[in-house]
Every structure is written in structure tokens, then in C-alpha cells.
Amino acid sequence: MAPLQDIATRARQLREEIERHNYLYYALDAPEIPDVEFDQLFRELERLEAEYPQLATLDSPSRRVGAAPLAEFSQVAHRVPMLSLSNAFADGEVAAFDRRVREGLGVGTVEYAVEPKFDGLAISLVYQNGTLVQGATRGDGYTGEDVTGNLRTIKAIPLRLHSTHPPRLLEIRGEVLILKKDFDKLNRQQREKGEKEFVNPRNAAAGSLRQLDPRITASRPLTFFAYGLGSTDGLAPPATHSAVMDYLETLRVPVSRERKVVLELAGLLEYYAAIGARRDSLPYDIDGVVYKVNDLAWQGRLGFVSRAPRFAVAHKFPAQEAMTELLGIDVQVGRTGTLTPVARLKPVFVGGVTVTNATLHNQDEIDRKDVRIGDTVIVRRAGDVIPEVVRVLPERRQPGAKAYSLLDAVEHVCPVCGSHVIRLPDEAAARCSGGLFCPAQRKQSLLHFASRRAMDIEGMGDRLVDQLVDKNLVNTPADLYALGMNALVSLDRMAEKSAANALAAIETSKKTTLARFIYALGIRNVGEATAKDLAHHFEKLDALMVADAEELQQVPDVGPIVAQSISQFFAEPHNAGVIKQLREAGVRWEEGERAPMQSAISGKTFVLTGTLPSLTRDEAKEKIELRGGKVSGSVSQKTDYVIAGAEAGSKLAKAQGLGVTILGEAGLMELLEGEA
Ligand code: IVH
């Protein structure tokens, strides 16, 4: 048997290794070893500690869970108060902050450390000689609750700092939160278990941290990011906030990758805009950004006003959620006849705009959220996503509010054309059975037909299509090509000049590609990618039109359902008629469109991120696909190249983590030109 000394050394090594892998996995999202190998290390440590209890330490990763449930939390007085930040909403308020800072310091230029404002819960972690001894909530800023046992279960929080000479005392402050992807998974699990879903990641994190039984906290996907220090003892004080953050990173304490140092007001506002643009693609929710005077001596000189520092400010984003009243539910009919319930709302300012409508998705969603007319609801508008009703506040419901049934509301007929509405058993959506007889479906199919990635008829938007259909000038896409000057100038707000432009755009669209044409037809379940695959496989439209299910399924990604949609579409005489008319009107493409060239990049997968200096995303995509490459939306082990432009974000970071080749536009062009 090995001497105890060797076993102690092995146990120490295992702890180090396990904590390092925890850091790689939970803080950097870049694991180096598969889970099974990690489990082996973990089990080896558990075995050693079970056999030699004298080797077990408080900061062993095997001891993350295990504290006994509490009857209540005890109180912790913070050594240094945990203050809050003052808020700025408008650029002018940020300018005023910067001016006060400069005047307070009597300097002309200030360097700022800038970072996201995490939307989680503030906590304090006390490390004595490198070991985590206490964790507490913020509470009222002076006294918080001792949640050490719960915080120990969070794997992103080191139980031991990675340092040979840790300070005697180091209090780290930061935010506990749940990543968006983990939140979605958590709510999926809650749904499956028939338990109540959490409202948002912040609430879920708060609820999880305030559990008296650490085993419950351990089962929740909490994580942590540090943003500063509290009290310290024995730390050679760094000169700047950014140096503090770099130091924390060396201790393997998670810090935000988005942190930066900028100069002056212009630097602050630029950062705000850049992070704002990427807000939705960040892995966690943020509600703004925080600006801090970088020089710590300067911070000291500026000091505090009442409960907030003068040296820092939170620049908030417009709230993405707001409360309002559901005045009614309208029903809209989409291109394929889907009936979509749309909430009519009392106007409310959310996500930076006034919102009056929000989608309710379908009947299942209405049932799940139990939405009733007259309810007080929470509306969410994130980025450019269509606003949606996320939940109702049942406690504010008026007595007598009735459950809503879409089919009853429309009396089982399409509100636009009066055709029967059907709801297939395996579908969430109710559908108008009127097909192209239904003006709503006609309008939507025309808009799709004319859209940029389909026939690309410039200027053919809602207003024009509405009039063309309502005045019975256009029934099918083929009718667009029969439009003349007289018909167009008869429309509202259509002067001769714009009519001529519209006619020119229609004329230009006649020359197209087979892939665009197939996509433009609006066959159910045939998106842009499938349309391209079909064009490459069949080369000629006539071949596609007569293909049977078996042949169709030889095309990549075409399964029985898609094959059936295609066959049904072409079997419909009306559709065949429209196609014939379109061809007679002069819509054409090069038949026998070749499959993409064989080249060194054939079959390679590319991901585009950020803004390239001269190519648009569509142009870059087209160039890659022309040479047989594929463009995907997300980075994975299978990605061959990431093409990164300005403001590239998490995809770039992920690619770096995975060691994927990263090129700029020039690199891409070189790669492609080698192939031309
Ligand atoms: S610094 C003395 N930095 O915002 C200043 N706070 O309103 C201490 N927060 O309670 C705060 N992200 O929970 C700071 N990058 C960040 C932050 C941040 C989120 C929270 C924190 C604090 C609240 C202040």
C-alpha cells in the first residue's frame, strides 16, 4: 500500500484537477475532457476520501453538496456595505456622469472599466487563505443572509482559489444567475414534471438560492460572475479595476468576457451600443452595462453619495417586459392558412417602442398560460423578435373572465374568407381550409413570392399587395406579371413614377434561378435550403413536378412529410396552372442549374459572425455555397471555419475555445479564390 503521504498528494492533485475542469466547463464553457473521464476523477477522489477520512478537506469538490438543511438562514453583517448603483437611461445622463467625474477629479480625460450589468442576485464570497468560508446575499446592503451551503453547490464558484499565495482575506462580489440555455432546460423539466414554470432566469436564480435545503439548490443550474471586491487583507492592491478583474481571472474566478477598458464618454456610448446589439445573443440576461472609473485611487477620491458610488453608474437598457391590459384577441390568417391569435393591448412602452399587439402563438399556448380577455398581462419584446404575451397575473383577474377558445371566437370559420377552419389532431395550429380562395392567404403568399430571397420584387410590400388583392387586380403570382400602368396608377398613393418603378421591378424579377422559384412557390415545409437542394437534385422544374415520393426522398433532408407536401402541391391543378402562366409570362431560369462546384471547400461548414467590411452576409453565404460549402448558424465541433467581422460575439469566443480556424473577409476571399 502506498504511504499515506503519497495518497494525500494524489488527493490534492485530484482536487486541483477537478476544480480546473469545473472552471473549464462551468466558467469558460470549454471542457477539455469528456464527462466520463471527469466522473472517473471524481469517483477516485470520493474513494480516497472514504477510505482515508483524515484526508477530507472542507474545500474538496466532493463536499459541494452535503450541508444539512437549515431551519432558517442566519444573518451576516457585511464587512464593507454592499451598495447599489445609480442608474442612467439616456445618453445625456451618461454625459452628466462623465462630466461630474472629470470635474470631481479635475482631469480632462477618464479611463473607464466597462462591463455587462448582470441580471441576477448580488452575493459576497469570503475566502480565508484561499478557502471559501462564507457566502452571503446582499440583503439590505449592510446585513445579508448566510447562504454558504447553497453557494458551495455552484460549480462555477471555486471552493479554493487557484493561487500559491492567496491573501489572508479576500471578499469577492458578484452575481449569481442562470444562463438562458439552462433556464429553458429547467423550465422544460418543470413542465415535464407537471410543476410550475419559472417566470424568468432571475426569479429562478433567486428562488433557487433561497432554499433551506442545499440539495435543492444543487439541482438547479446556477452560475456566477464576479464584478469586484469587498474587504481584503494581505492583498497587494492592484491599481485599477481592470487589474482586479484580471487578478480574479488568474484565481479561476469567473469574470465576464465582455469586460473592456474605454476612454471618455464616446467610449462609454460605443460600448453601450455594441453590447446592446448583442444583448440577445449573450448567454445570460443583462439589464444594462456598468461604467466604473478604472483607477482605484481615483475611485477613492470620488467616494460615495448616500448609498451609491460617485465613480460608477449603471446605464440601463429599456426594459424588455412590461405590464399592460389585454383588451381583446384578434385572429390573423397566415400564408398557409394558420389562424394566429393576436393580443390587442393597451399601448405600453417596452423594449424601447410602444407595443399595441403581441402574439399569443396558438390555442395550446393560450390554454397553457390561461390567457383571458381583460387580464393584466406581462408583455415581452426582446430585440427584433415579435412581442409576445408571456404570462398573466391571475391575482388581478376580474371575476367572470371566461376561458378563450379560438375556434368558438371565429365560429369555426375563417374570419377573412368564411371557409371552414380545421384543426388537425397532431397540430397546434387551426387552419383556414380556403387555400388561395382566402384573400388573407393570397396576400401572404404574394408577399412571400415577392420577398427578397424568393423572386425579389423590390417595393412589393404590405400596402401594395393589400390593394392589389382587395381590388381584385391580382389573384395569383402570375397576375403580377400581367399588371400594366393603368392598373397601378389607379391605386392609392401610386404616382406614375412609383408605378413605373414597380413595373420595372416586376420585369427584373423574371430572370431568376430554379432554387428561388421553387422557394417562391411557398410549398409547405419547403424553406430556402430545401428549395436549393431540390433545384440541385432535379435540375429541371418538370423533373421535380413529376417526381414521386421515393425520388423526392433521395434529396438530402427530405423525409416523408416534406415529400408529401411537395407531391400534394404539384398535384393540385390550380398550382400547375399558375406555374404554366408564370413561365408564359417570361419567368425563366437556367435549367440544369449545376450542383455546386467540387472544390477544396466542398462539404466544409462555415459560420459567419459579425459585420464583414464589404460583403453582406447573404453575399458571403452565396459565395461559399456556390463552391459547395455549407453555412451554419452555430459553432460546434463540426465547424470548419468561422468567418468573423466587426463586433463578432459569442460565436467567435466559442470558436476560439474549440480551436476552429478563424478567418476575416480577406482570408475567406483567399480561400475562395484559390478555388475559382
Ligand atoms: S458594481 C458599489 N458591477 O447591480 C458598486 N454591480 O445596482 C457595486 N450588478 O447590487 C456594484 N452587474 O448586484 C456592479 N458589473 C456589475 C454588476 C453589478 C450587476 C448589480 C449588483 C448590484 C446592483 C447595483
Side-chain angles (χ1 to χ4, degrees):
M1 201 176 67
L4 192 59
Q5 191 111 49
D6 293 354
I7 295 166
T9 307
R10 177 65 185 152
R12 204 164 43 244
Q13 279 171 349
L14 284 167
R15 284 180 199 129
E16 262 289 319
E17 267 305 276
I18 290 169
E19 285 294 78
R20 192 171 73 86
H21 289 302
N22 270 340
Y23 180 68
L24 288 166
Y25 189 96
Y26 290 101
L28 302 186
D29 192 16
E32 271 177 11
I33 57 170
D35 290 358
V36 279
E37 267 174 51
F38 179 84
D39 291 343
Q40 275 165 8
L41 294 174
F42 202 88
R43 276 201 302 272
E44 186 183 343
L45 177 64
E46 282 182 326
R47 245 194 345 263
L48 285 183
E49 289 179 346
E51 208 168 320
Y52 305 94
Q54 67 270 43
L55 295 183
T57 60
L58 183 66
D59 56 18
S60 171
S62 64
R63 302 262 304 259
R64 284 194 174 269
V65 195
L70 302 171
E72 57 171 10
F73 296 116
S74 49
Q75 301 281 308
V76 175
H78 296 302
R79 293 168 166 86
V80 174
M82 293 182 77
L83 301 178
S84 53
L85 293 165
S86 21
N87 292 326
F89 292 94
D91 291 0
E93 295 171 81
V94 179
F97 160 75
D98 173 59
R99 195 173 50 244
R100 282 194 306 274
V101 166
R102 282 183 290 114
E103 286 171 3
L105 295 167
V107 298
T109 306
V110 179
E111 189 181 85
Y112 293 100
V114 296
E115 53 201 42
K117 185 169 192 303
F118 304 104
D119 197 6
L121 281 97
I123 59 147
S124 136
L125 298 168
V126 176
Y127 289 86
Q128 260 166 11
N129 299 315
T131 296
L132 176 65
V133 295
Q134 187 181 65
T137 62
R138 175 174 182 273
D140 64 4
Y142 299 95
T143 324
E145 284 176 326
D146 184 334
V147 287
T148 314
N150 290 346
L151 290 172
R152 287 174 59 90
T153 68
I154 302 177
K155 301 211 180 71
I157 295 180
L159 296 176
R160 176 145 195 96
L161 298 173
H162 180 69
S163 164
T164 44
H165 301 289
R168 275 187 295 283
L169 175 76
L170 188 68
E171 182 188 356
I172 298 173
R173 294 194 172 161
E175 203 92 345
V176 164
L177 44 87
I178 294 183
L179 300 184
K180 293 178 195 168
K181 67 170 176 8
D182 292 332
F183 175 75
D184 292 339
K185 199 167 136 201
L186 178 64
N187 261 355
R188 237 182 359 257
Q189 288 166 351
Q190 292 290 105
R191 255 198 315 274
E192 279 158 16
K193 284 191 285 185
E195 281 173 28
K196 205 164 169 264
E197 288 178 48
F198 296 100
V199 170
N200 58 39
R202 209 198 98 81
N203 288 23
S208 304
L209 193 59
R210 296 204 68 261
Q211 294 290 332
L212 290 167
D213 183 351
R215 276 172 304 189
I216 299 182
T217 311
S219 74
R220 304 277 171 79
L222 296 170
T223 188
F224 172 76
F225 287 95
Y227 53 65
L229 297 179
S231 62
T232 63
D233 178 15
L235 173 73
T240 58
H241 178 74
S242 51
V244 169
M245 301 310 279
D246 294 344
Y247 170 63
L248 289 177
E249 196 169 29
T250 67
L251 300 176
R252 294 196 187 143
V253 174
V255 289
S256 169
R257 279 180 196 151
E258 314 299 330
R259 70 189 193 283
K260 275 179 78 168
V261 173
V262 303
L263 275 183
E264 305 186 337
L265 177 63
L268 298 179
L269 297 181
E270 207 177 297
Y271 180 72
Y272 179 80
I275 294 283
R278 293 187 23 236
R279 182 178 184 184
D280 292 331
S281 56
L282 291 180
Y284 39 73
D285 279 345
I286 62 174
D287 54 353
V289 290
V290 182
Y291 309 141
K292 301 171 183 175
V293 171
N294 199 22
D295 187 306
L296 295 181
W298 284 8
Q299 284 195 4
R301 271 169 55 195
L302 286 163
F304 298 82
V305 254
S306 67
R307 304 204 50 198
R310 271 199 206 90
F311 56 78
V313 72
H315 192 180
K316 302 283 282 269
F317 292 135
Q320 291 183 317
E321 290 192 357
M323 196 169 76
T324 188
E325 207 178 304
L326 177 64
L327 302 175
I329 298 178
D330 294 337
V331 178
Q332 283 180 358
V333 185
R335 174 165 65 86
T336 54
T338 312
L339 267 52
T340 305
V342 177
R344 220 167 356 93
L345 304 167
K346 194 166 155 203
V348 60
F349 192 72
V350 55
V353 300
T354 301
V355 166
T356 50
N357 293 305
T359 182
L360 287 162
H361 301 290
N362 53 49
Q363 183 72 51
D364 284 352
E365 286 290 300
I366 292 181
D367 294 345
R368 194 168 69 75
K369 295 172 185 159
D370 187 20
V371 180
R372 304 182 186 196
I373 294 170
D375 277 353
T376 301
V377 295
I378 301 292
V379 182
R380 181 177 173 80
R381 180 184 179 272
D384 293 331
V385 185
I386 302 169
E388 61 165 351
V389 170
V390 272
R391 67 194 158 97
V392 306
L393 301 176
E395 62 278 14
R396 297 192 179 221
R397 174 168 290 161
Q398 299 300 317
K402 282 205 291 288
Y404 177 85
S405 152
L406 189 146
L407 284 180
D408 289 349
V410 299
E411 295 174 342
H412 296 256
V413 295
C414 170
V416 177
C417 73
S419 300
H420 269 295
V421 169
I422 39 177
R423 187 171 173 194
L424 299 177
D426 54 347
E427 280 192 348
R431 237 174 253 292
C432 159
S433 59
L436 289 180
F437 168 73
C438 175
Q441 293 189 53
R442 238 171 337 177
K443 286 178 186 172
Q444 293 300 325
S445 12
L446 284 168
L447 283 170
H448 171 78
F449 181 84
S451 64
R452 200 166 49 84
R453 290 157 171 280
M455 298 299 281
D456 194 17
I457 309 182
E458 220 183 296
M460 190 64 61
D462 282 326
R463 266 222 326 263
L464 185 50
V465 167
D466 275 352
Q467 291 197 61
L468 292 172
V469 172
D470 292 343
K471 301 206 164 146
N472 257 321
L473 290 169
V474 171
N475 283 309
T476 74
D479 297 339
L480 287 173
Y481 295 94
L483 283 173
M485 198 58 165
N486 288 342
L488 284 175
V489 291
S490 75
L491 302 177
D492 294 345
R493 284 193 259 175
M494 185 60 93
E496 221 158 276
K497 177 93 175 55
S498 21
N501 286 344
L503 287 177
I506 292 171
E507 187 58 35
T508 312
S509 74
K510 285 182 181 171
K511 190 169 178 324
T512 185
T513 65
L514 178 56
R516 278 175 175 272
F517 185 77
I518 296 171
Y519 174 59
L521 293 173
I523 304 168
R524 262 185 88 189
N525 300 313
V526 176
E528 208 188 351
T530 308
K532 279 184 188 161
D533 290 344
L534 290 169
H536 292 146
H537 183 89
F538 289 99
E539 298 190 353
K540 289 186 167 31
L541 183 64
D542 295 324
L544 169 64
M545 289 177 70
V546 298
D548 60 18
E550 198 179 318
E551 243 180 300
L552 286 165
Q553 288 184 56
Q554 280 163 18
V555 179
D557 296 332
V558 173
I561 293 178
V562 180
Q564 196 192 14
S565 302
I566 298 170
S567 311
Q568 272 175 356
F569 182 90
F570 290 115
E572 171 65 56
H574 167 85
N575 292 331
V578 171
I579 291 170
K580 184 155 171 278
Q581 286 171 355
L582 283 167
R583 289 171 121 172
E584 282 166 3
V587 173
R588 62 195 182 277
W589 53 86
E590 275 187 34
E591 289 268 74
E593 234 169 66
R594 273 180 312 126
M597 318 172 190
Q598 280 301 315
S599 76
I601 69 158
S602 309
K604 298 269 194 253
T605 302
F606 290 70
V607 172
L608 302 166
T609 175
T611 313
L612 298 178
S614 67
L615 292 175
T616 66
R617 240 179 227 215
D618 283 342
E619 287 164 352
K621 184 166 180 232
E622 206 162 299
K623 284 184 188 297
I624 292 167
E625 286 177 347
L626 187 67
R627 289 163 182 80
K630 271 194 270 187
V631 176
S632 149
S634 57
V635 177
S636 72
Q637 305 273 11
K638 292 196 198 122
T639 309
D640 296 294
Y641 298 97
V642 165
I643 310 301
E647 306 291 338
S650 56
K651 288 180 192 170
L652 178 58
K654 184 150 186 209
Q656 283 163 341
L658 290 171
V660 174
T661 307
I662 298 165
L663 300 173
E665 180 178 301
L668 171 67
M669 294 312 286
E670 227 168 83
L671 192 65
L672 297 178
E673 267 150 30
E675 298 303 326

